[in-house]
Amino acid sequence: MRYVIIGAGAVGGVVGGRLAEAGHDVVLVARGAHHDALRDHGLRLRVPEGELARRIPVVDGPDALGALRPDDVLVLAVKTQDTEAGVRAWGPAPVTGGGMAAERLPLVCAQNGVESQRLALRVFRRVYGVCVWLPCTYVEPGVVSAAGTPLTGILHLGRHPHGTDETARLIAADLEKSRFEAPVVPDVARWQYAKLLANLGNAVEALTGPVAGEEAMALLGRVQAEGAAVLRAAGIAYATPEEQRAVRGDKVTLVPLDGVPRGGGSSWQSLARGTGTIESDYLNGEIALLGRLHGVATPLNELLQHLAGTFARERREPGSMPLAELVRRVDEAVARTG
């Protein structure tokens, strides 16, 4: 199989780089300065064993790649807000032997949140979800990093909306030869909803900086408790913290990397790069949506969704809101809700 990594940023670049390092056929898809750096200098992957440099074919879209192969696997690794554009661009791409990608090829959504698979299924017949446990960073054009060892990450994989199949098992086998653990599960959504609860803190980090200390952890606990209440009201199951700890153990231990300044998670990185967009609509916004559907007030997550979106649009620096100010706004939002 050949892996076409649509969105070769932090997650896509690390997954594509590790697959290529293990001898698998990979094509990276990127835009702008990142595309140019990958084309001119190859991918530089900073990991605990050092910096790995590898020339991997790179294109800026389906037209530049030409007809896809029948054994291609499309891996969608863009942020959720870019999912629709991605599936609309790649769905009609022709496949050698006839037909188009949306009809013939599997699409694997390696993204945060739970919405991308639903968006993809409007276009693609075969969609797979991934619960991405992969601490990684986009460092600069052409350079990504992953600080986990001995494994780079853990990627639960399954069909959407549920089930497993031989394609999932073949993909998992390739990932497990590439420094990942890739459990194939029939209920991947359970793991994704658990990750969603963890990702509700991304906005807190993006707004105020690292979530550390008693006050910040207390705020995070309130935000996640609100999310858990919504999932219970919606009847949505999610993997327990005990299940997650049992799977992860000490398989992905973070170590300092030379040349990689300490940063934050995916939302923090979006603000740091000044992209103008952020995924809070599909993290905190998912909880707000479910709350409205099931009659549960979600003032904390609504506020975080709004503030993170404002920071992104105004291209404000990550971590520039004092924690005390955010806590004050949260308390005011709760009081207004009554």
Side-chain angles (χ1 to χ4, degrees):
M1 295 189 294
R2 181 177 70 170
Y3 292 90
V4 180
I5 311 293
I6 304 167
V11 170
V14 171
V15 171
R18 283 302 201 189
L19 284 167
E21 178 196 10
H24 301 293
D25 201 356
V26 174
V27 176
L28 303 178
V29 182
R31 297 179 297 178
H34 191 44
H35 167 273
D36 294 347
L38 292 170
R39 178 196 62 202
D40 296 341
H41 307 292
L43 175 70
R44 293 160 59 196
L45 175 59
R46 293 178 183 168
V47 288
E49 61 266 35
E51 181 172 288
L52 309 176
R54 182 172 292 273
R55 291 277 183 172
I56 302 174
V58 59
V59 298
D60 61 2
D63 292 342
L65 183 57
L68 292 160
R69 298 179 353 192
D71 67 339
D72 279 340
V73 174
L74 306 184
V75 179
L76 189 65
V78 299
K79 297 291 176 62
T80 303
Q81 61 266 29
D82 297 319
T83 291
E84 189 167 6
V87 298
R88 295 293 177 187
W90 286 87
V95 180
T96 300
M100 59 184 186
E103 300 167 333
R104 297 188 57 192
L105 301 183
L107 180 73
V108 179
C109 295
Q111 301 160 282
N112 283 333
V114 296
E115 180 67 9
S116 281
Q117 292 108 161
R118 183 173 180 271
L119 293 171
L121 205 59
R122 292 178 181 272
V123 178
F124 279 79
R125 288 180 179 171
R126 284 192 292 155
V127 174
Y128 298 77
V130 178
C131 178
V132 180
W133 177 250
L134 172 54
C136 56
T137 302
Y138 173 95
V139 180
E140 62 185 54
V143 184
V144 297
S145 70
T149 186
L151 293 178
T152 298
I154 299 175
L155 308 173
H156 285 75
L157 173 70
R159 283 289 296 262
H160 178 78
H162 49 75
T164 64
D165 62 13
E166 184 62 17
T167 297
R169 288 185 282 273
L170 289 171
I171 294 169
D174 286 348
L175 289 170
E176 293 196 339
K177 296 172 185 173
S178 308
R179 294 183 181 254
F180 295 100
E181 186 169 293
V184 177
V185 293
D187 55 352
V188 69
R190 286 185 67 250
W191 296 90
Q192 291 177 311
Y193 276 106
K195 178 74 183 306
L196 173 66
L197 289 179
N199 285 149
L200 297 180
N202 287 17
V204 177
E205 179 189 56
L207 295 169
T208 67
V211 180
E214 185 176 337
E215 188 175 26
M217 292 304 295
L219 175 59
L220 175 60
R222 293 171 66 187
V223 172
Q224 292 176 333
E226 184 179 89
V230 167
L231 296 186
R232 286 195 299 272
I236 295 173
Y238 57 92
T240 66
E242 293 75 20
E243 285 180 275
Q244 296 175 73
R245 284 193 293 270
V247 168
R248 292 171 183 164
D250 57 359
K251 299 171 185 174
V252 183
T253 300
L254 303 188
V255 299
L257 297 178
D258 292 338
V260 180
R262 179 174 179 174
S266 57
S267 297
W268 189 96
Q269 291 180 48
S270 292
L271 293 185
R273 293 173 61 190
T275 61
T277 66
I278 197 166
E279 59 190 341
S280 58
D281 284 347
Y282 300 97
L283 301 177
N284 308 93
E286 181 69 25
I287 296 302
L289 169 63
L290 289 171
R292 292 165 191 152
L293 290 173
H294 296 280
V296 179
T298 58
L300 282 73
N301 281 280
E302 288 179 31
L303 177 66
L304 289 173
Q305 177 188 4
H306 166 70
L307 290 175
T310 299
F311 264 50
R313 289 189 297 274
E314 296 179 355
R315 289 178 165 78
R316 294 174 63 178
E317 288 293 319
S320 58
M321 174 178 283
L323 177 61
E325 180 182 350
L326 179 57
V327 171
R328 177 184 61 80
R329 293 197 185 194
V330 162
D331 289 339
E332 290 176 349
V334 172
R336 287 194 299 270
T337 302

